[in-house]
Amino acid sequence: DGGITQSPKYLFRKEGQNVTLSCEQNLNHDAMYWYRQDPGQGLRLIYYSQIVNDFQKGDIAEGYSVSREKKESFPLTVTSAQKNPTAFYLCASSFGRNQETQYFGPGTRLLVL
Amino acid sequence: DAKTTQPPSMDCAEGRAANLPCNHSTISGNEYVYWYRQIHSQGPQYIIHGLKNNETNEMASLIITEDRKSSTLILPHATLRDTAVYYCIVIGWRDDKIIFGKGTRLHILP
């Protein structure tokens, strides 16, 4: 089955620790996106990538980093510089930019110990 | 900032049509109206999109006013499983990202 997967479903981070959230898609999509959602809020864009080996900052990129070494994968690292990392993180992909429908993964909930 | 305005919440009786409004008064000619929904603790799900004509698919209908400054998403026979936050989004052909507002939280009442 084609789809987009995220792992783990729940992730716990200790103070000062970097953690990496996985996002994989087998839809042959060129573009991938990371969003953050806080309780009662809409989604905010962290980073996006339109093609392999290229990515751009979204609206709230500070404290996060990404890589896009493979078309299928777009991991997000939450660094220790992100002072308020507790949130629901959603990964999405689409065939390309410009009005293409985005397909979302099931999300990863990050909690700080 | 989101280019759309939606009511924060709405109620609808089960089995009735749910009509969710969206204002996008600054929409330009090449911008589409998209609707997504997010059921609690899941990723958003695409519902429907349109440019200026009304659209219908197996999930919903989209009615866009002639001046394109507003639209309505219609769920014809709402069920409890339609309880979700519904996002109305405007996307232009030059856009490489979409901006989600806070959406409308739809409560389906049994």
Side-chain angles (χ1 to χ4, degrees):
Chain A
D1 289 339
I4 181 165
T5 58
Q6 291 183 243
S7 62
K9 187 172 182 179
Y10 295 95
L11 185 59
F12 297 91
R13 193 192 92 163
K14 295 180 181 178
E15 294 286 344
Q17 185 182 40
N18 293 352
V19 292
T20 298
L21 284 64
S22 168
C23 178
E24 304 278 333
Q25 54 95 2
N26 61 3
L27 300 167
N28 200 31
H29 285 171
D30 288 315
M32 297 186 73
Y33 312 81
W34 273 105
Y35 295 89
R36 168 183 172 140
Q37 187 174 37
D38 294 282
Q41 303 295 316
L43 283 69
R44 292 185 290 167
L45 184 64
I46 305 173
Y47 268 98
Y48 63 103
S49 168
Q50 293 160 3
I51 197 169
V52 175
N53 293 322
D54 184 56
F55 49 83
Q56 287 80 39
K57 292 182 179 179
D59 301 317
I60 53 166
E62 186 174 352
Y64 300 97
S65 66
V66 294
S67 63
R68 188 82 188 278
E69 298 176 0
K70 298 188 299 181
K71 188 175 185 177
E72 302 79 18
S73 179
F74 191 40
L76 173 74
T77 296
V78 184
T79 75
S80 57
Q82 172 50 244
K83 298 306 179 187
N84 186 23
T86 297
F88 189 46
Y89 290 86
L90 287 155
C91 180
S93 68
S94 67
F95 275 111
R97 54 186 289 178
N98 304 341
Q99 302 161 342
E100 294 287 345
T101 300
Q102 291 190 10
Y103 296 85
F104 286 81
T108 292
R109 193 166 296 279
L110 177 62
L111 301 167
V112 176
L113 297 177
Chain B
D1 290 339
K3 301 177 184 178
T4 61
T5 304
Q6 299 176 255
S9 67
M10 290 183 62
D11 292 337
C12 179
E14 189 177 16
R16 305 296 292 267
N19 297 279
L20 290 88
C22 179
N23 286 324
H24 30 79
S25 58
T26 61
I27 194 170
S28 61
N30 62 9
E31 291 182 320
Y32 282 71
V33 180
Y34 272 71
W35 283 84
Y36 286 79
R37 75 178 182 183
Q38 185 178 23
I39 296 170
H40 182 64
S41 294
Q42 297 181 22
Q45 175 191 25
Y46 165 81
I47 303 173
I48 198 167
H49 74 281
L51 183 63
K52 54 184 177 181
N53 296 323
N54 297 337
E55 302 287 344
T56 296
N57 63 20
E58 65 278 4
M59 289 182 67
S61 295
L62 175 61
I63 308 298
I64 303 174
T65 58
E66 193 169 342
D67 63 7
R68 304 211 320 125
K69 293 185 177 182
S70 65
S71 61
T72 300
L73 178 75
I74 301 173
L75 307 177
H77 304 287
T79 71
L80 295 176
R81 288 178 294 181
D82 292 321
T83 295
V85 177
Y86 287 78
Y87 297 98
C88 171
I89 300 162
V90 166
I91 308 172
W93 71 275
R94 290 182 183 274
D95 293 336
D96 51 13
K97 57 184 179 180
I98 59 179
I99 299 173
F100 286 81
K102 294 186 179 181
T104 295
R105 185 171 298 275
L106 177 66
H107 298 104
I108 305 300
L109 307 175

